[in-house]
Amino acid sequence: MTTDSEEFTFDLGSEAKATMLLCHGFTSDPASMRPWGEYLRDSGFNVIAPLLTGHGDTWQVLAKSTWQQWYARLDAALDEALALGRPVFAGGLSMGGSLSLRLAELRGGDLAGLVLVNPAIFDDKPHGFLAPALQYVMPSVAAIGSDLNKPDVREKTTSRTPVAAYASLRRLWKVTRPELARVTVPLRIFTSAEDHVVNPRNSAVIRAGVRSKDVESTVLQRSYHVATLDYDAELIFSESAAFMDRQLVRTRGVHD
């Protein structure tokens, strides 16, 4: 695991407007979040980006981890974010979006809003349901990372995708999707028009399932799945900062 695979925190102290909790995707690590985090830091926000259990290592290590462990790390990171004393938003890419939605279902009162990039909530792969059985005869399959339109950028992921961990990811979706109505926080969604990992219809299912009154959506025309490293990255960064600024103004208006 290299240094840029590690989790990172940007603490601006009392000058920070709010804190963003950033969650990376399946088989990836915080490196895919770092440009986003650096932009938000420079825009006046604290940032915490945890490394989920089993990630940033070999696929064999990831295979031994579960969605409950990934969620537990994000849940603990939320406590770390709250300890900074500023309003907390959560943002996630792909599975990071799934986990952020689960966080909003269970701890929505601790969140000021969500920013989701190509979030996943179901799997349209025809044989995905076989993963629990296949893991014993086919421990891993080809890597799913680096779905990028930019030809000169690579996402840091495990060399292969462990089927056991993928089966656990599907269980996360199974518990999260039926409870989407528990999500009531403001929501900002970015969805790539062309995504070879997560079907764009996932975003539509999420929008239809949540009870958030404030939902903003943007279709990314130039980026594939890992949009935080792709052509539309700056758009995601600037629009997410603007979204948080708007929510903070509205919150102050309510409490003034």
Side-chain angles (χ1 to χ4, degrees), residues 17 36 39-40 43 45 115 236-246:
K17 295 185 284 187
W36 191 1
Y39 182 98
L40 294 177
S43 299
F45 297 94
V115 181
I236 295 169
F237 304 164
S238 62
E239 286 297 313
S240 61
F243 167 75
M244 290 190 285
D245 282 333
R246 286 195 298 275

Side-chain angles (χ1 to χ4, degrees), residues 123-162:
D123 183 11
D124 63 346
K125 296 176 177 59
H127 304 299
F129 71 96
L130 295 174
L134 284 176
Q135 63 182 297
Y136 300 107
V137 294
M138 186 186 298
S140 69
V141 295
I144 60 171
S146 290
D147 183 35
L148 289 139
N149 195 16
K150 269 190 172 183
D152 57 341
V153 179
R154 298 290 297 174
E155 179 191 18
K156 293 179 76 283
T157 65
T158 54
S159 60
R160 293 183 64 78
T161 300

